[in-house]
Every structure is written in structure tokens, then in C-alpha cells.
Amino acid sequence: MTRERADVGSFDDIAAAAVRTTGMDDFGGTAHEEGLRILVDDLASPEAGLTGRGNYFQRSEVKSALVGRLLVEAQLKAHPDAADVPIERPVFVLGLPRTGTTALHRLLVADPAHQGLEMWLTQYPQPRPPRETWETDPIFAAMQQAFSAHHVEDPEFMGIHYMDATSVEECWRLLRQTGKSNSYESLAHVPRYSAWLRRQDWTDAYTRHKQNLQLIGLHDAEKRWVLKNPSHLEPFESLMRVYPDALIVHTRRDPVSCIASSCSLSASATDGHSTTFVAETVGRTQLEQWSASYHAFMDARTRYDSAQFVDVDFADLQGDPVGTVRGVYEAFGLDFGAEVESVVRAEAAEASSGKAAPSHSYSLADYGLTEEQVRAAFER
């Protein structure tokens, strides 16, 4: 069923809706407001060109960030001991979109000694309940039902990026609790918000990111966190201020393929949402966004210990996923024993032929871009 709205509404209106939904009103300060107010104003402008369907979707995205912030504030008060949970040598998988970050992330999280962020807990952060209780949780059940309906309505999107409530997913939903996330500019034409975001120090966003991890992993403190998000590229130095011992897995692929695939993903995710965030606008904004992110990361990484980094080529990951994971473990001095190899091999088999098997076609020309433009943007 397609849901529509006549407008996005104001920030204050959306915040009030989040309060009504949760029955909570403590946002833990106003650090999130500046960015989200700029974002909502941008979304309401003619430049965003939102349709009724787009209004509904974008409003729900902003509301979800506010609901997450409210829930975390309440959970942190209920679990003050979360502040003492150590986050040691977390693994961050990052790279341009469509470089294999999702596949590699899921292979690394298959290790029983590791933990990732399940989709439903990125939306409703809380100490992770025992897995056998999830199906009886009304929030989990509602999300799983919604994903099932989405896959029926849009089977092509499932082939581009499969997910359900149990999937380990990107951690940008935690960052957006401070109003900072490039997910918004990957889903709409929001030039003023994009300009604001380029000027920001993200340290507060990563500080809250860490609080979320401490809360969600409260009962699994012995497990290493493995996280992934292409948007870690641009604010990388802020990430390292909060996680100075982080282990960084940088996935790499020909940028021509990355940008074509990323544009296709953005266009598919927002089909029918806007009259302006289409075709050439998608191509131009995504090329600007990701080339700037790439250069920021490549400049920043030279200032840190090279032993904290390992590079993974997309072709190697496709051709030998188990061997690629073994290489990551060896680079960081982690134990890749028989049990780990077995679960990683099983995950790799499922990913190549199961419900999460990729199926995706795309072309730069659909987004007004040429191979020469893309290569020039990424030239160093």
C-alpha cells in the first residue's frame, strides 16, 4: 500500500510526533536539532521536489532518527552500567558504496566471537535480547512483516541490497541521532543540508555512536564489534578520535562501477519520491558526495598507524571470500581457526546462492555521467 502526505511538515511537528509515538520527551539536549532543522527545511523546498510518497518517506526517516534518540536516552537511564562497557579494537568496514562492504561485513560477523548491528536494533536501540525471544517481540515482528511486504512489492530492490530485521546492517542510523548522516543526501536533493554537513565536526556523532554500541552490546561485552558504513569515509578523523584503536578494512573497486551501482541504488530506493532527485541530479550529487568522501579518507589515513589498516579488493572478495576473510584476520592478528572458517564458508555459500544473492544491472549513462568524468573525480 502506497502511503502519501501533502507535505513533510516542520521539524517541531515531526519531533512532537516522535514524542507521541514513544510517550517520551527527553531528547538529551538539542545537539541534533541544527542539522535536522536544516534538513527538514530542505526537504520542504521546491528543490527537493518531493511527491506525496516522498513526503511520507522522508518524514518517516527524520521521525525515526528522533524516535531512536528518545529511546536511547531512556535506555541509558535504565542501564547506567552500559557506560562502563569497553569497546576494544572494533573493526570498521568502509569504502565507497558497492565495493563489497555488505558482503564482507556479513562474513566477518559470522564469527561467533563477533557482533554486528542487527537492523531492528539500529532502529530501536536496547540491550540485545536473547535471539530466541525476538519473534515474540512486537517491535521485531512488525519490522519483519514490513520487510517481507517490501520484498514482495519491490523484488528488484532485494536483489540490489537484501535486508530484513535480523540482518546486520550499516550504523548510520546511530549517527543520525545527532542529525549527521549522509544517508539523507543519498535519498533526496538537499543541497543546503549537504553544505552544512561538509562543515561539521562529527566527534559528537561518534561519541553517541559509541554509547549506542555500549547499550546494545551490554550483554555481549566479550564480543568484538564489527561495523560497516561507507559514510565513515569523510568524517574518518572524528571516528578515530572516539575509537583510536579501531581496525579499518578498506574495500576497493573501480570507481566507475561503484558510482554507477550507487546511483542505481539511490534511484531504486527513491523511485517515485521526487521530481528532481532523478537521472542527472542523482548522478551529479552522488559523484560529488562520494569523490569528496574518498579523498577525505585517503588524506586522513596517512596520519594513523598503517598496522590498523588492511585493503580488500572487490575482485578478490568475489573470487575467494573465505581466503579474503582469512587475510583480514591475519593482518590484524586475529584467530582464524577451524570453527571460524566453517561459519565463514557457510555464510559465503548462502550469500552467493541464497535469498541474499546479488542481482543488479546499471549504467552510468542513465545518470548523465561518463567514465571519464568519474575517473577524473577520483584521480589522486
Side-chain angles (χ1 to χ4, degrees), residues 55-137:
N55 285 326
Y56 182 91
F57 174 82
Q58 295 294 346
R59 177 187 172 90
S60 70
E61 287 294 294
V62 176
K63 181 183 173 184
S64 180
L66 294 169
V67 166
R69 189 173 177 95
L70 287 167
L71 292 173
V72 168
E73 286 302 312
Q75 289 287 343
L76 290 175
K77 289 177 182 175
H79 302 281
D81 49 336
D84 299 322
V85 174
I87 308 290
E88 297 176 347
R89 300 185 80 204
V91 176
F92 284 86
V93 180
L94 51 82
L96 291 173
R98 320 305 292 168
T99 55
T101 55
T102 297
L104 182 55
H105 181 221
R106 292 175 180 174
L107 291 171
L108 291 169
V109 174
D111 184 340
H114 291 167
Q115 61 180 317
L117 276 172
E118 292 84 5
M119 170 62 84
W120 78 293
L121 295 176
T122 70
Q123 300 268 34
Y124 297 94
Q126 60 183 291
R128 185 184 293 108
R131 179 63 182 86
E132 63 271 15
T133 69
W134 291 7
E135 273 70 19
T136 59
D137 185 295

Side-chain angles (χ1 to χ4, degrees), residues 137-288:
D137 185 295
I139 293 176
F140 175 87
M143 287 190 67
Q144 193 72 309
Q145 182 178 12
F147 278 114
S148 297
H150 175 65
H151 293 325
V152 170
E153 294 170 4
D154 192 358
E156 289 187 12
F157 188 82
M158 181 172 67
I160 299 175
H161 183 82
Y162 180 86
M163 56 186 174
D164 62 22
T166 68
S167 300
V168 289
E169 268 297 324
E170 296 178 347
C171 45
W172 55 263
R173 291 177 179 82
L174 307 185
L175 294 170
R176 69 180 181 175
Q177 290 177 23
T178 51
K180 294 170 182 168
S181 173
N182 72 1
S183 64
Y184 296 117
E185 52 184 342
S186 294
L187 297 170
H189 184 39
V190 284
R192 282 169 292 275
Y193 177 77
S194 294
W196 174 85
L197 197 61
R198 299 286 90 77
R199 301 190 300 268
Q200 299 309 301
D201 177 349
W202 290 52
T203 305
D204 63 334
Y206 282 99
T207 298
R208 190 168 184 88
H209 180 280
K210 183 176 180 179
Q211 290 178 313
N212 274 263
L213 298 189
Q214 291 173 310
L215 174 68
I216 294 168
L218 180 62
H219 304 318
D220 300 292
E222 75 287 355
K223 294 186 176 184
R224 184 190 308 275
W225 276 102
V226 181
L227 304 139
K228 82 102 172 178
N229 189 355
S231 70
H232 292 316
L233 290 170
E234 188 161 5
F236 181 69
E237 293 196 270
S238 295
L239 181 156
M240 294 300 284
R241 287 189 198 104
V242 176
Y243 301 104
D245 61 348
L247 305 175
I248 309 301
V249 184
H250 179 213
T251 53
R252 308 186 73 154
R253 184 184 185 187
D254 182 350
V256 170
S257 296
C258 295
I259 295 302
S261 184
S262 178
C263 288
S264 175
L265 177 62
S266 290
S268 296
T270 58
D271 184 32
H273 290 192
S274 171
T275 58
T276 60
F277 191 67
V278 295
E280 288 83 0
T281 300
V282 172
R284 175 176 54 81
T285 58
Q286 297 313 291
L287 180 58
E288 290 173 355

